[in-house]
Amino acid sequence: MLSSALVLVAAVFAGVATANPVEKRQFSGVHTGDATWYEVGLGACGINNVASDFVVAVSETFFDTFPGATTNPNNNPLCGQGVTANFGGRSIQVTIVDRCTACAFGDLDFSSGAFQALVGDLGIGRASGLSWTLNSLPRA
């Protein structure tokens, strides 16, 4: 009886160990969160940007757990991917170049130029009601 229980427990844990904890589908579709902005520069993707570039940082959770992510952030499949961001009836195209340590999973941290184009006044700082999609899912 004990050996049957151990076999069952081992089978359950084996299934857990081989299951992919982060499935690609959680990265597809429409994401919602807050829009914030930051002073861009050299981002996690190894690209230097300026305030007028239409670029974003995705949350570190989104960035670090994306299928194909490695310990070298420059090689993350999200680097250089396009995003369509929507807020208050406006829509812009931005490029992922960085990761945001203070962002929740669906948040985007914009360059100041992109934030102004999408949300408006930088003094707002944080705007709720953002929705966005990856323009295409990169290969892992």
Side-chain angles (χ1 to χ4, degrees):
M1 181 77 164
L2 181 58
S3 64
S4 299
L6 289 176
V7 169
L8 178 60
V9 170
V12 168
F13 280 116
V16 170
T18 59
N20 184 356
V22 181
E23 295 182 28
K24 203 167 198 168
R25 70 173 181 250
Q26 97 184 74
F27 295 98
S28 64
V30 177
H31 301 281
T32 59
D34 290 349
T36 55
W37 67 274
Y38 73 112
E39 295 293 337
V40 297
L42 179 61
C45 294
I47 301 166
N48 264 309
N49 291 102
V50 296
S52 59
D53 292 336
F54 274 37
V55 294
V56 294
V58 296
S59 77
E60 73 179 336
T61 305
F62 197 98
F63 191 88
D64 294 347
T65 63
F66 192 84
T70 68
T71 56
N72 182 350
N74 293 303
N75 296 332
N76 191 297
L78 288 171
C79 291
Q81 294 301 311
V83 168
T84 300
N86 305 290
F87 178 82
R90 295 181 186 163
S91 180
I92 63 170
Q93 301 294 313
V94 290
T95 302
I96 298 171
V97 297
D98 207 351
R99 63 194 281 276
C100 174
T101 58
C103 293
F105 190 80
D107 294 350
L108 290 180
D109 205 10
F110 293 84
S111 63
S112 57
F115 187 89
Q116 284 177 310
L118 184 64
V119 177
D121 181 15
L122 294 177
I124 294 170
R126 176 178 297 275
S128 297
L130 170 73
S131 67
W132 61 276
T133 56
L134 287 168
N135 291 344
S136 63
L137 274 179
R139 292 182 178 257

